[in-house]
């Protein structure tokens, strides 16, 4: 049988709300969840901790091929635990530094290629919610529904600021805004899978919307799609 579990893709830039929206939808649907950014973050931070230079493509590909990462749903504010090589890594992959390292390794086509198969392996019954930058364009082009979330850089910086402050990180709003803009440019201008909405994606600007409103809207769209199939 050639059954492929349905996939809902939620793409968008950092701070657009895609992580929280994706997780809440996965929980509501009882589907699996893939935080693809965590894969790139894991490759970047593991490389740095092993003193591998972020320009050493061969070593980074090796790391990407062997990374063992799982997302375990849990109660509480975080909604999920990230298990890297069997260990709960807590918030260590969520720092701005880890995001910066991820964005550098994510620009290497061989690393993206090495992570492709790993991402496909998350597609399991009854379904998958996949969050990232190129879920709808490259990784799951046959997704049942593709969502692209966006918000102004200022709103996204403000959200990240609050998130990081709540977690006890020492952060500076101005610097966060500069970093977000810098990362947007790197993610949008890279040759391999640049950040852009799929042609058939629903684009939702979340600047003026709260998370529960976005979740509700996407949930309804998905129900509509499933009815039409
Ligand atoms: O979503 P995030 O902030 O965790 O992503 C961290 C970096 O990883 C981001 O700068 C771009 C990269 N990334 C990517 O290139 N493709 C993805 N599917 C997910 C993330």
């Amino acid at each position: 049988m050639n059954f492929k579990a349905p996939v809902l893709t939620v793409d968008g830039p950092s701070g657009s709300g895609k992580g929280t929206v994706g997780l809440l939808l996965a929980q509501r649907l009882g589907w699996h969840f893939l935080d693809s950014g965590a894969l790139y973050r894991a490759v970047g931070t593991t490389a740095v901790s092993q003193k591998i230079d972020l320009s050493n493509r061969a070593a980074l590909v090796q790391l990407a091929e062997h990374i063992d990462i799982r997302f375990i749903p849990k109660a509480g504010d975080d909604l999920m635990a990230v298990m890297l090589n069997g260990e709960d890594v807590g918030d260590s992959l969520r720092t701005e530094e880890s995001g910066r390292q991820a964005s550098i390794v994510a620009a290497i086509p061989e690393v993206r290629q090495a992570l492709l198969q790993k991402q496909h392996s998350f597609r399991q019954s009854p379904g998958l919610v996949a969050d990232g930058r190129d879920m709808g364009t490259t990784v799951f082009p046959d997704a049942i529904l593709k969502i692209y979330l966006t918000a102004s850089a200022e709103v996204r910086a403000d959200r990240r600021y609050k998130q990081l402050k709540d977690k006890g990180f020492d952060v500076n709003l101005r610097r966060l805004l500069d970093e977000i803009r810098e990362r947007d440019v790197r993610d949008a201008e890279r040759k391999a899978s640049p950040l852009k909405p799929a042609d058939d994606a629903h684009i939702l600007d979340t600047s003026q919307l709260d998370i529960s409103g976005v979740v509700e809207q996407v949930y309804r769209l998905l129900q509509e799609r499933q009815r039409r199939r």
Side-chain angles (χ1 to χ4, degrees):
M1 195 176 71
N2 196 14
F3 170 78
K4 277 191 161 178
V7 182
L8 163 63
T9 59
V10 186
D11 287 306
S14 165
S16 58
K18 65 186 170 13
T20 315
V21 167
L23 257 171
L24 288 170
L25 281 159
Q27 286 191 341
R28 185 154 170 190
L29 294 159
W31 286 10
H32 299 277
F33 181 68
L34 164 63
D35 171 3
S36 60
L39 267 58
Y40 292 96
R41 287 171 183 264
V43 173
T45 50
T46 307
V48 170
S49 71
Q50 294 186 5
K51 309 230 176 322
I52 294 171
D53 199 283
L54 293 185
S55 60
N56 183 344
R57 293 184 174 216
L60 292 172
V61 167
Q62 277 276 326
L63 269 188
E65 280 170 352
H66 293 102
I67 221 123
D68 169 18
I69 194 161
R70 282 154 224 253
F71 307 102
I72 315 288
K74 68 171 194 188
D77 288 349
D78 286 347
L79 300 170
M80 80 170 171
V82 180
M83 308 293 291
L84 184 57
N85 302 319
E87 254 181 64
D88 185 343
V89 291
D91 286 330
S92 64
L93 291 184
R94 298 255 48 103
T95 63
E96 287 310 295
E97 184 54 15
S98 164
R100 196 186 64 79
Q101 293 157 354
S103 160
I104 295 171
V105 301
I108 303 173
E110 296 90 331
V111 169
R112 304 197 73 83
Q113 186 59 34
L115 289 177
L116 199 57
Q117 208 180 340
K118 201 160 290 285
Q119 294 174 85
H120 288 158
S121 71
F122 282 84
R123 184 176 198 167
Q124 284 174 25
S125 200
L128 174 71
V129 179
D131 123 24
R133 304 289 199 285
D134 61 344
M135 299 296 97
T137 50
T138 309
V139 183
F140 301 109
D142 61 338
I144 181 171
L145 178 64
K146 300 176 185 180
I147 301 296
Y148 187 90
L149 297 184
T150 160
S152 69
E154 288 75 14
V155 167
R156 290 186 284 127
D158 201 48
R159 286 181 185 157
R160 286 295 289 153
Y161 178 79
K162 288 186 184 127
Q163 248 175 18
L164 292 168
K165 261 274 191 277
D166 284 352
K167 288 183 192 289
F169 289 111
D170 183 21
V171 276
N172 172 299
L173 184 59
R174 182 72 234 175
R175 202 160 57 222
L176 266 184
L177 182 59
D178 288 345
E179 282 168 1
I180 279 190
R181 287 194 174 129
E182 194 186 310
R183 193 128 61 92
D184 279 356
V185 171
R186 192 160 44 221
D187 291 346
E189 290 186 350
R190 69 168 178 238
K191 286 203 184 72
S193 283
L195 173 65
K196 68 170 175 82
D199 292 339
D200 50 350
H202 278 264
I203 301 176
L204 291 176
D205 188 326
T206 68
S207 303
Q208 310 293 331
L209 292 172
D210 67 346
I211 293 289
S212 58
V214 180
V215 169
E216 198 52 45
Q217 218 169 319
V218 177
Y219 186 76
R220 280 212 213 109
L221 279 170
L222 182 68
Q223 280 184 318
E224 234 170 74
R225 270 299 149 86
Q226 284 175 316
R227 261 199 304 273
R228 269 200 267 140
R229 275 192 136 194

